[in-house]
Amino acid sequence: MKIKGKYSESEKLHFIILGIAGVLAIVVFFVVLAVTGGGLSLPGGTSSETTTTSATTVPAETEPEGYEPDDALKEEMRDAVIELIPDNYTVLSLYYIRGLSHKDEPYGNAPEDGYYTVDSDTYTSIEQLEEIVDRTFTKEFAENIKTDPLGYGPIYKTRSNGTLGIIANFTAMPYDRTWKNPDYDIEPISDTECDIKVYIHEKSDESPVTVEGHMTKTSSGWRLTSILF
């Protein structure tokens, strides 16, 4: 036998209050959810909210660029090398590997001053020779060439009779390379310094030879710092 009953008024009020409370709880939940951005606290103090962080972008380190002269200076360096290479060979020939021909003394005697008179239509004075040396090399190295290039004193001097003289015991350096049509590279270091590579050949078999040198810019222009051989 089923027994039918009715909710009392107090019971109805109780359920109404519970319903209103439930609705309020849901509203509060969504308000909190909206304020916190939807993150829910997880055990251990973590959050279910997915966060993204943007890493600070560090500019990549770039290697410092090497020295690069402007076009005008490059052209100036090239022009200097084109003039210095043949002048270097001229000095090499005059003072180191060949020397100038000379006239014998009367009766085949040895010269009293230790120098023979030069026999040349091209070079007749010490000033001519030293002008080439000075325009080719730095002041310090030019002085060495003019005074003691081979270890036994000046190769040339003006004799007492005013003629150009060459030292009697001139001994040419052994040398077997040709400077015919040399090629070159320049490697600028700064506005006033430049390395040089000159490409020549052995006379015996035409095998290539690389001669390295250095030139510097002085108040008088570009000069080699040593003889290229």
Side-chain angles (χ1 to χ4, degrees):
M1 178 178 173
K2 293 181 181 179
I3 300 173
K4 294 181 180 180
K6 295 181 181 180
Y7 293 111
S8 65
E9 292 296 325
S10 62
E11 288 177 332
K12 290 181 180 181
L13 181 61
H14 177 69
F15 284 111
I16 290 171
I17 293 171
L18 289 175
I20 293 172
V23 171
L24 290 174
I26 292 171
V27 171
V28 170
F29 172 81
F30 282 107
V31 170
V32 171
L33 192 64
V35 172
T36 61
L40 298 178
S41 179
L42 299 176
T46 61
S47 170
S48 64
E49 180 183 9
T50 302
T51 60
T52 58
T53 58
S54 58
T56 303
T57 303
V58 179
E61 292 187 4
T62 57
E63 292 293 328
E65 294 184 0
Y67 168 78
E68 182 69 20
D70 59 31
D71 290 342
L73 186 55
K74 284 181 183 177
E75 193 65 25
E76 180 184 310
M77 290 176 172
R78 291 191 191 100
D79 290 344
V81 171
I82 290 171
E83 293 181 0
L84 291 173
I85 288 176
D87 281 347
N88 173 85
Y89 181 70
T90 297
V91 174
L92 181 65
S93 296
L94 290 171
Y95 286 82
Y96 294 88
I97 64 174
R98 190 171 299 162
L100 290 171
S101 299
H102 66 269
K103 300 174 182 179
D104 290 335
E105 292 289 286
Y107 309 109
N109 293 331
E112 293 183 1
D113 62 356
Y115 286 78
Y116 288 109
T117 295
V118 167
D119 185 11
S120 171
D121 294 330
T122 304
Y123 302 106
T124 58
S125 71
I126 191 70
E127 289 77 18
Q128 286 177 289
L129 302 180
E130 293 187 346
E131 191 276 328
I132 301 172
V133 174
D134 290 336
R135 77 188 185 206
T136 307
F137 299 95
T138 57
K139 183 177 180 180
E140 295 78 12
F141 196 77
E143 188 64 21
N144 175 264
I145 292 175
K146 290 184 287 186
T147 59
D148 195 21
L150 296 173
Y152 45 79
I155 302 301
Y156 300 97
K157 78 168 191 176
T158 301
R159 302 191 72 189
S160 59
N161 60 5
T163 61
L164 175 63
I166 182 171
I167 197 166
N169 62 340
F170 175 78
T171 305
M173 285 174 45
Y175 197 77
D176 192 35
R177 293 174 177 174
T178 174
W179 285 69
K180 184 178 180 180
N181 299 322
D183 201 357
Y184 70 90
D185 283 328
I186 59 173
E187 299 175 2
I189 299 173
S190 70
D191 288 353
T192 59
E193 301 293 329
C194 182
D195 285 334
I196 305 168
K197 289 183 179 179
V198 183
Y199 305 106
I200 57 177
H201 296 84
E202 295 287 357
K203 287 182 179 178
S204 57
D205 57 7
E206 291 293 316
S207 58
V209 178
T210 301
V211 178
E212 297 186 12
H214 185 85
M215 70 177 185
T216 185
K217 190 173 185 177
T218 71
S219 58
S220 301
W222 290 93
R223 297 291 186 270
L224 295 174
T225 58
S226 62
I227 190 82
L228 307 181
F229 63 91

